[in-house]
Amino acid sequence: MIILITGASHIGKTLLAQRMLEKYNYPYLSIDHLKMGLIRSGNTGLTPEDDDALTTYLWPIVREIIKTAIENRQNLIVEGCYIPFCWRQDFDERYLPSIRFICLAMSERYIESHFDEIIGHESEIESRLVYADCSMDDLKAGNKSIIDGFQRVGEQVVLIDSDYEQTIEKLLD
């Protein structure tokens, strides 16, 4: 089984992946780790700020890692924001039944009422060496883009609207 986790920045993708690793004992691949390995090694001229270009660059690699894991009957959690809205078109009926897709997003109401808490948890699982100025408007725009993009192609989005922990716990069941 492949568990594919995506969503906007600061949504808790890595936290969910860590909890799934602990519950299911599945290894997980952070697309951010792959990104930084390629950037730091000089294998790409892209920078961490090149989001759209990074999706185009990283997704073909991640896609083939997923296929290889499925072909070898291996479990894997893959998490990151560099998953295109139309990801399903890259897999045929041999692969899709083995992929559980989870897209997380926060409602505007949740962001407005929990902004300080969201920012306070930004380094809970992975230490962010560079703290970006993440404003409430940035979070709202990022979540709206994720919600609109994935819903436009028919994907279900798990919307965090009131109780973050309860929403995460439901995904672990």
Side-chain angles (χ1 to χ4, degrees):
M1 173 62 67
I2 304 300
I3 302 173
L4 187 57
I5 303 169
T6 195
S9 178
H10 289 79
I11 195 72
K13 299 177 295 292
T14 306
L15 174 64
L16 178 58
Q18 179 68 36
R19 289 192 182 168
M20 287 185 161
L21 173 147
E22 292 166 2
K23 180 171 182 169
Y24 302 120
N25 294 314
Y26 291 4
Y28 86 82
L29 169 67
S30 166
I31 301 173
D32 277 344
H33 291 175
L34 177 61
K35 168 189 77 178
M36 292 310 299
L38 291 164
I39 290 171
R40 287 179 169 180
S41 67
N43 282 297
T44 180
L46 297 171
T47 71
E49 289 78 35
D50 296 325
D51 284 338
D52 291 337
L54 281 165
T55 299
T56 301
Y57 181 70
L58 293 169
W59 178 245
I61 299 166
V62 172
R63 175 191 69 216
E64 297 308 316
I65 290 170
I66 291 169
K67 287 179 181 178
T68 301
I70 292 170
E71 290 162 357
N72 286 292
R73 296 183 195 94
Q74 295 169 313
N75 298 315
L76 181 64
I77 300 163
V78 178
E79 66 88 11
C81 59
Y82 304 105
I83 298 169
F85 299 134
C86 58
W87 70 272
R88 282 186 193 270
Q89 75 183 19
D90 292 327
F91 298 96
D92 62 30
E93 67 281 346
R94 292 176 293 166
Y95 299 103
L96 286 171
S98 299
I99 301 172
R100 177 182 176 199
F101 177 73
I102 300 171
C103 178
L104 294 172
M106 293 176 180
S107 70
E108 282 196 16
R109 181 178 70 160
Y110 186 87
I111 293 168
E112 289 169 356
S113 59
H114 294 86
F115 180 73
D116 291 336
E117 186 179 344
I118 293 165
I119 297 303
H121 288 287
E122 70 182 357
S123 290
E124 187 148 320
I125 300 296
E126 294 179 332
S127 296
R128 293 178 190 251
L129 298 179
V130 177
Y131 291 91
D133 288 331
C134 183
S135 70
M136 188 180 302
D137 288 339
D138 292 338
L139 280 179
K140 287 179 181 180
N143 277 271
K144 182 175 181 355
S145 174
I146 290 296
I147 292 166
D148 292 347
F150 280 108
Q151 286 182 341
R152 185 176 54 250
V153 296
E155 294 291 351
Q156 181 180 1
V157 175
V158 176
L159 189 63
I160 299 164
D161 190 46
S162 59
D163 188 323
Y164 182 86
E165 283 298 324
Q166 185 178 28
T167 303
I168 296 301
E169 285 301 316
K170 284 180 183 176
L171 292 170
L172 292 172
D173 291 335

